[in-house]
Amino acid sequence: MNFDLSEEQRLLTESVERLMLDSYGFGDRRKYGREDPGFSEAMWKRYAELGLLALPFSEECGGLSGGPIETMIVMEAFGKSLILEPYFATVILAGGLLRRGGNEAQRTELIPLIVNGRTKLAFAYAEPHSRYDLFHVETQAKNQGNFWALSGVKTLVLHGDVAHKIIVSARTAGGTREKNGIGLFLVDVDAPGLTRRPFLTQDGLRGAEIALENVRVDEGNLIGDPEGSLPAISRVADEAITALCAEAVGCFTQMQAITLSYLKTREQFGTKIGSFQVLQHRAVDMLVELEQSRSMTLYATMMVGEDNTIERERAVSAAKVQIGRSSKAIGHQSIQLHGGIGMTMEYSIGHYFKRVVMIDTLFGDADHHLRRLAALGGLKKKI
Amino acid sequence: MNFDLSEEQRLLTESVERLMLDSYGFGDRRKYGREDPGFSEAMWKRYAELGLLALPFSEECGGLSGGPIETMIVMEAFGKSLILEPYFATVILAGGLLRRGGNEAQRTELIPLIVNGRTKLAFAYAEPHSRYDLFHVETQAKNQGNFWALSGVKTLVLHGDVAHKIIVSARTAGGTREKNGIGLFLVDVDAPGLTRRPFLTQDGLRGAEIALENVRVDEGNLIGDPEGSLPAISRVADEAITALCAEAVGCFTQMQAITLSYLKTREQFGTKIGSFQVLQHRAVDMLVELEQSRSMTLYATMMVGEDNTIERERAVSAAKVQIGRSSKAIGHQSIQLHGGIGMTMEYSIGHYFKRVVMIDTLFGDADHHLRRLAALGGLKKKI
Amino acid sequence: MDLLFTEGDLTFREEVRRFLNDNTIPDIRRKLAEGLKLSKDEVAAGTRSLYKKGVPTWPQEYGGTGWTLLQQYIFEEEARAFPALVKFGMGEDLVGPVIYTFGDLAQKRYYLPRIANATDWWCQGFSEPEAGSDLASLKTRAAQHGDHYVVDGQKIWISSAHYADWIFCLVRTNPDVKKHQGISFLLIDIKSPGVTVRPIQLINGGYEVSEVFFDDVRVPLANLVGEKNKGWMYAKYLLSKERFDDAGVGLSKERMLRALELAAQTYVGDERLIDQSSFREKVAELEVQLKALEITQLRAIANASKQQQGVQDPASSILKLRGSEVEQAAAELLMAVIGPNTLPYIPDEELGSWNEPSILPRWAAKIAPIYFYSRAASIYSGSSEIQKNIIAKAILGL
Amino acid sequence: MDLLFTEGDLTFREEVRRFLNDNTIPDIRRKLAEGLKLSKDEVAAGTRSLYKKGVPTWPQEYGGTGWTLLQQYIFEEEARAFPALVKFGMGEDLVGPVIYTFGDLAQKRYYLPRIANATDWWCQGFSEPEAGSDLASLKTRAAQHGDHYVVDGQKIWISSAHYADWIFCLVRTNPDVKKHQGISFLLIDIKSPGVTVRPIQLINGGYEVSEVFFDDVRVPLANLVGEKNKGWMYAKYLLSKERFDDAGVGLSKERMLRALELAAQTYVGDERLIDQSSFREKVAELEVQLKALEITQLRAIANASKQQQGVQDPASSILKLRGSEVEQAAAELLMAVIGPNTLPYIPDEELGSWNEPSILPRWAAKIAPIYFYSRAASIYSGSSEIQKNIIAKAILGL
């Protein structure tokens, strides 16, 4: 067992942290957020130049063959700066589906376009009544001989507003909540019959609702098994959760630092408020949550590569429970310790709070994953 | 709405509180606990003289026709002194069954004996596998013409070690967990076939396990409907829970007072520990729990006379949830604020802690009642 | 002791229900039910219809109903549930009682009727950037020049200042004495030259609060309430009143009922969320806390009605503290109901047009903002930490 | 970064398992499994069998195994799970390391072997009645008279003092300087004339701790460890070691597994408790906390292994604090499993004979005492409040 970073990982950490330090302060973020797509296209280019968009992909597709640890490093740094760019949607979600489900043609064609920053993707998995169940798919994909016709509605498509192509989960067979009969389809956003309704998200990002009405998808844009894509979706969801955990740890780290700094400078009753014992102990409570979250994120990162589905899901759910609980605990404390200023849009802490709360709701909140973990028999003893 | 006590209730409060103040300090309690039956027979006589043993019974049986409020007053005072005498077992439980289920002969014969302090009773409802389900009854009562023959085992019989007679719930018909087919039988402890194994309880009281082997019970000692006594048992259990809530509020009040006094006298780091902000806020947390518990006990006391079973059970369960949560919260805080001394048998606070923890486990802990409340549809809006 | 409402209380409640039914403006009722914003004029109209029998919480001699505390409580509960409850600023609840308790005759005659007929919208100017929890360290100065004060300084976290006609302020009139002395209570026309209102956007996206700047603002001496330099006393009166009123039982109840209503429409697979046992237990846990709070509130009302002076009732001291926690828990319950669909953020101004014909229900977009805003409940009107300090000192004697 | 055990670690674990299997005394294993008390002789024998390859946590030069921290951790985990883990007082974990780090050659030669072969049972004499959390305000005095100190005073909360042969104490050797100065670290033969041990009964019914009185006790000067008046430094070394060792991951794991095992035998109606979803979720919630603690412990081990001096690792600072909370939660879980059957209290001495042929399972009587005793976990070795004070200052710089 060894918690040290390799030389390459240390270099990656340094370069992404330097980029964030130089170009992604809270003021920069506000500026980027006001730009047209709601984020910085310039930063997206920088990510490409730095190889961040290439990270998890195999070398034959122009990638860097990074694993979960590399993703953790990048997502944690992104969390610290609350980045607005569609890295999660494009690289983690859609990129993950291509890696795990795409055939060689799809991979060699699309992944290089992700890597060089030219193409943004999104993954449309959620539906009005699916809640957290990835297998709850009402959207229909009808086989019409040499193409598929997709009809239905997809909600909460993260960065679906800017994506060039969207991977859509749709039902090719079976009833609404059957685990078999789900396929993945790569849809062009300009395809006739597809309409997008963009929206802002509570945490300052973007998304879209997608309506599909007999949208034609060629056979070549079917990703993986038309009836058996749920395992790939689940696996990518586990990777996505693990990445979100790392992002949250980045947020927590920053929330702790911002709050500490406030405690050390803000004066009330003629003294720094950080001298009040009650507030000191709250800051310690935050530290405990942060360290426990970091530990569980390491655990999920270690286990997310596991091929044994049950072991993997247990670990990932356990981590998401921890992150969800800590999001509330750290979020509430950091706002409370700031008082009124923490409630304002002008100040940074509330933006972190909103992001971690939304992270809790993405791919299952703490209660959902607690139920899943319990249903899976809990954590096994082995580390 | 009126939270004031009537003149009579105020007199009752004063007299029972004076008795406790004069004769039931922590030192007295230790002394009583070392006496042979594990409590003070002399105090039992005083309760009789003061009319406390007569409180809930009708005047025709020599009682004082007190209601839930009178019981609350007495139980709260008893809780403050952590009394050891079998008031709960004799007056609340067995007395309640006689009041609600006994025929006139039984009532006029037995209740006067309770009232004058001569006879102590107990109620044997629990069995090895019944947990909190009063309807889980394996003990058999077989009708043998003019008598019943009881066989089975009863656990956790509160003060069953000193009772002269024990009311036993036994199955006259149906399967182990059927709600119909449960009868109540008044058994003499000297009856052939009955053996008692006395035990100490975690909180310094006494109890017994009872084994019954073909114990003969005459028809005249059948209490109420031989197949339909569960409603009476449930009703008495609700009254018992309400009484326990009041006792717990008495305990909490004293725990708060003892802890406050410790905070105001104990010195560390050259100052009273009550000057530390963290400890001050903990004391406030205790106060909040105490006041919320008092409110819910008032609520249960108000509702326990309700004939609508569902309304009554909802209110009683809600109160028991509050008391259970507060038992942990106040118990843990008061021990923690004392440090090591709070962990010792020589000091009072730990005894209160143990009592309130046991109150949580009597007739259903907080989790059990939360489930019951949820299953009953939660609290209604009406007060 | 009788813990049920008396016949008289129940009759009163029936009367209130009839009154609300007869007098509430239908359009206002609809907008309140749908969680839509009301204009200042609408609030004024709604307030006038609520005040038809007099200002609910005031004594009769000042245009109030003269109701008991319990009747006032029943009225507010019913008005909130109807829903009909609007608040035309802080005139009725805060500055009005200060004026009729400590003001002079001219002040009573001028200001109170203008509150009672919803003419003047009042806001409260207490907090300052450097004086948050340490309220008494405020720096806004009022220097006497002839027949007026000249006020300079800055106030912050002023609720609904952008609607206000008047602001009542704590100002420093003597900088040379200890901080709690030297403070006065001043009534300021917010349209006076030199007053600037700058709204602050909060994390829920709304503009509920503002900064208010005073730059050489002239205020007549006649606008001083009570004695000069005694303002802290009036502020303490007002703050303890706020704590008493702030349990928010009605608000939390409304939120809980909303959560149950939405949970009955929400499916997890084939099962309604409201039928899921773990969700029901979560609800029950909160219902217990809310019921305990409600009874504690009623105990405090009963106690206050007896006009006992001296020792503060422990029950009333915990109302604001505990009330904010329950209110926040109820907001978290709403979040648990909506689940993933909390994500889209729709600004208020788009809410009318949004979701016809969109996919997610219209209410979905308002849940997270409610939750975010709920975090302020343990900060404003004296943070929970301040409440605990006060209780530790005043009630527990620590 | 590789978060899995290496091949080497796994091989080591296999060796430990074989070692335990070959060397553990069967009767001790059985009693540990059943939660029965061991005599001092049994603990000594059990300790000797554990020490066959050397004292697990010591360097080789003093009779230790020389294992890495991770190996030590694996050994202790496995020994606890076997179960084979016994502790012959505080020799190995506390006074031994102080002696081999700060002691002189004579002390190392005399005391260390007597710990390594389980001859001397050591206990720790730090706390005093008036110096609980404020440890440094201790009053027990050691006055120098010729070639010995004369010790007078009182210590309290001394674990297993009734078994002890020796006690290591903090004593005041200079009352005229600031409290943290003027303290020395002294080794005292507990059978010396003038030493009285008075066991204290705790609320679980047991006698785990004692008061120890010193009345003109003569202690040779040679029993002073390190420099006179530098005792606080050695105590701090020892306390931070305690914090590091005190996460109690193994203990909490054992308790969790026990709770699951018992829940599998417990029926609620026709359903096993372990199959009840709300119980399983309660378990899962705690499993997450325990797993987080375990990883944090492993991170701390990895970090300490790198021998970094200077800034303390935040991860290690929270181990004792968080560990006690998890341990207490695990005890509460046991209480939830046993439910109403927790009521009977059976003293240890009757436990052997009780319940043959009684009705409730034998284990039932031990659950509440475990829970009651667990409350001490956040009090001893520096209360949680003290831990938070330390972390706030040392780690957060507040």
Side-chain angles (χ1 to χ4, degrees), chain A residues 103-363:
Chain A
N103 59 35
E104 203 185 323
Q106 291 163 340
R107 279 187 278 120
T108 52
E109 190 190 320
L110 264 171
I111 290 178
L113 292 173
I114 296 177
V115 165
N116 69 21
R118 206 155 322 149
T119 296
K120 298 188 188 76
L121 300 177
F123 175 30
Y125 55 92
E127 300 196 354
H129 302 108
S130 63
R131 254 181 113 81
Y132 297 124
D133 294 333
L134 298 166
F135 56 85
H136 183 117
V137 176
E138 298 182 46
T139 297
Q140 295 294 320
K142 295 231 182 299
N143 193 334
Q144 310 282 14
N146 60 342
F147 70 93
W148 298 80
L150 270 57
S151 294
V153 287
K154 289 285 179 180
T155 55
L156 312 179
V157 185
L158 302 172
H159 278 113
D161 58 325
V162 293
H164 303 102
K165 290 171 189 291
I166 297 176
I167 301 176
V168 176
S169 64
R171 186 158 291 286
T172 54
T176 298
R177 291 175 63 78
E178 266 179 55
K179 298 199 173 175
N180 278 319
I182 299 170
L184 289 168
F185 301 87
L186 184 69
V187 184
D188 201 283
V189 293
D190 300 324
L194 184 151
T195 50
R196 289 196 275 190
R197 175 163 193 154
F199 58 79
L200 306 172
T201 66
Q202 300 287 354
D203 52 353
L205 302 174
R206 306 289 177 106
E209 295 180 349
I210 310 282
L212 303 150
E213 215 184 310
N214 267 313
V215 174
R216 181 186 165 123
V217 181
D218 295 334
E219 198 60 50
N221 284 325
L222 168 69
I223 298 175
D225 180 347
E227 297 198 11
S229 282
L230 185 62
I233 296 173
S234 299
R235 179 129 207 186
V236 169
D238 284 341
E239 291 171 348
I241 290 170
T242 306
L244 288 172
C245 289
E247 185 186 347
V249 167
C251 295
F252 296 161
T253 305
Q254 206 60 14
M255 292 165 93
Q256 167 86 359
I258 293 166
T259 304
L260 269 181
S261 146
Y262 189 76
L263 290 175
K264 288 175 187 177
T265 50
R266 169 75 170 172
E267 294 194 5
Q268 292 272 274
F269 302 101
T271 179
K272 303 273 185 272
I273 62 173
S275 67
F276 291 105
Q277 196 191 22
V278 157
L279 307 194
Q280 290 180 349
H281 284 205
R282 303 276 188 84
V284 172
D285 294 340
M286 286 175 65
L287 175 71
V288 170
E289 292 289 340
L290 166 61
E291 292 302 328
Q292 297 294 75
S293 288
R294 191 184 298 288
S295 289
M296 287 310 282
T297 299
L298 285 164
Y299 182 58
T301 302
M302 172 179 87
M303 297 292 288
V304 74
E306 173 77 47
D307 286 324
N308 179 325
T309 306
I310 290 182
E311 291 290 334
R312 187 183 75 230
E313 292 189 345
R314 282 172 172 160
V316 167
S317 280
K320 196 70 166 36
V321 169
Q322 176 71 52
I323 293 294
R325 300 284 186 246
S326 294
S327 292
K328 296 280 174 67
I330 293 177
H332 295 173
Q333 285 297 7
S334 59
I335 299 279
Q336 185 71 22
L337 290 173
H338 276 85
I341 188 78
M343 289 292 298
T344 67
M345 287 289 264
E346 290 169 48
Y347 194 83
S348 62
I349 199 78
H351 296 268
Y352 286 94
F353 172 47
K354 293 200 283 186
R355 177 62 188 153
V356 297
V357 167
M358 287 305 122
I359 285 178
D360 180 35
T361 73
L362 289 174
F363 290 95

Side-chain angles (χ1 to χ4, degrees), chain A residues 29-44:
Chain A
R29 180 181 188 268
R30 296 180 70 141
K31 202 180 65 199
Y32 301 155
R34 284 191 296 264
E35 290 177 14
D36 179 31
F39 58 85
S40 164
E41 291 283 8
M43 285 306 298
W44 191 250

Side-chain angles (χ1 to χ4, degrees), chain A residues 2 4 281 291 295 325 374, chain D residues 1-2 280 285 296 299 389:
Chain A
N2 163 18
D4 295 333
H281 284 205
E291 292 302 328
S295 289
R325 300 284 186 246
Chain D
M1 189 169 337
D2 181 357
R280 285 170 72 146
E285 188 95 50
T296 305
R299 286 169 56 205
N389 287 347

Side-chain angles (χ1 to χ4, degrees), chain D residues 124-187:
Chain D
Q124 179 188 45
F126 279 17
S127 289
E128 298 186 5
E130 298 304 314
S133 286
D134 183 11
L135 184 57
S137 69
L138 57 93
K139 293 204 183 80
T140 296
R141 284 190 60 171
Q144 192 169 344
H145 288 280
D147 64 347
H148 60 268
Y149 292 103
V150 175
V151 178
D152 283 282
Q154 180 188 354
K155 296 286 178 181
I156 196 168
W157 315 127
I158 314 300
S159 292
S160 69
H162 53 302
Y163 277 174
D165 303 296
W166 284 81
I167 180 167
F168 57 97
C169 287
L170 293 180
V171 293
R172 188 158 302 283
T173 39
N174 185 348
D176 302 325
V177 291
K178 281 197 199 156
K179 64 182 178 182
H180 290 89
Q181 297 153 10
I183 292 173
S184 295
F185 195 106
L186 210 55
L187 312 176

Side-chain angles (χ1 to χ4, degrees), chain A residues 1-6 9 69 72 256 260 263-264 274 277 279-281 283-285 287-288 291-292 294-296 298-299 301-303 318 321-322 325 370-371 373-383, chain D residues 1-6 9 13 70 77 81 253 257 277 280-282 284-285 287-289 291-296 298-299 302 306 314-315 317-318 321-322 325 384-386 388-389 391-392 395-398:
Chain A
M1 197 178 33
N2 163 18
F3 289 89
D4 295 333
L5 297 177
S6 70
Q9 289 164 345
I69 294 170
M72 179 184 79
Q256 167 86 359
L260 269 181
L263 290 175
K264 288 175 187 177
Q277 196 191 22
L279 307 194
Q280 290 180 349
H281 284 205
V284 172
D285 294 340
L287 175 71
V288 170
E291 292 302 328
Q292 297 294 75
R294 191 184 298 288
S295 289
M296 287 310 282
L298 285 164
Y299 182 58
T301 302
M302 172 179 87
M303 297 292 288
V321 169
Q322 176 71 52
R325 300 284 186 246
L370 188 68
R371 269 197 301 277
L373 178 58
L376 289 167
L379 283 175
K380 279 277 178 250
K381 211 193 150 191
K382 94 169 217 203
I383 165 146
Chain D
M1 189 169 337
D2 181 357
L3 305 179
L4 291 167
F5 280 147
T6 62
D9 299 331
R13 189 167 68 183
L70 182 60
E77 284 277 285
K253 263 193 191 173
L257 291 174
S277 64
R280 285 170 72 146
E281 286 173 25
K282 193 193 272 267
E285 188 95 50
E287 281 182 318
V288 172
Q289 296 178 32
K291 178 57 76 181
L293 183 69
E294 183 182 9
I295 310 271
T296 305
L298 291 169
R299 286 169 56 205
K306 283 190 284 169
S317 68
I318 69 171
L321 176 63
R322 189 71 192 123
E325 290 167 356
S384 293
E385 290 77 14
I386 294 292
K388 287 188 179 181
N389 287 347
I391 297 170
I395 309 290
L396 304 181
L398 290 172

Side-chain angles (χ1 to χ4, degrees), chain B residues 128 131-132 177 197 200-202 209 266 268-269 282 328 332 336 340-341 343 345-346 354 367 371, chain D residues 129-130 132-134 157 198 201-203 266 269 282 336-337 342-345 354 358-359 371 378 385:
Chain B
R131 254 181 114 83
Y132 296 124
R177 290 175 63 78
R197 177 164 189 151
L200 305 171
T201 66
Q202 301 286 353
E209 296 180 350
R266 169 75 171 172
Q268 294 272 274
F269 301 101
R282 303 278 187 83
K328 296 280 174 67
H332 295 173
Q336 185 71 23
I341 188 77
M343 289 292 297
M345 287 288 262
E346 290 169 48
K354 294 200 283 185
D367 287 350
R371 269 198 301 277
Chain D
E130 298 304 314
S133 286
D134 183 11
W157 315 127
R198 192 183 76 88
Q201 192 180 23
L202 295 184
I203 57 174
T266 301
K282 193 193 272 267
V337 172
T342 190
L343 192 70
Y345 168 73
W354 173 263
S358 181
I359 294 153
Y371 165 65
S378 50
E385 290 77 14

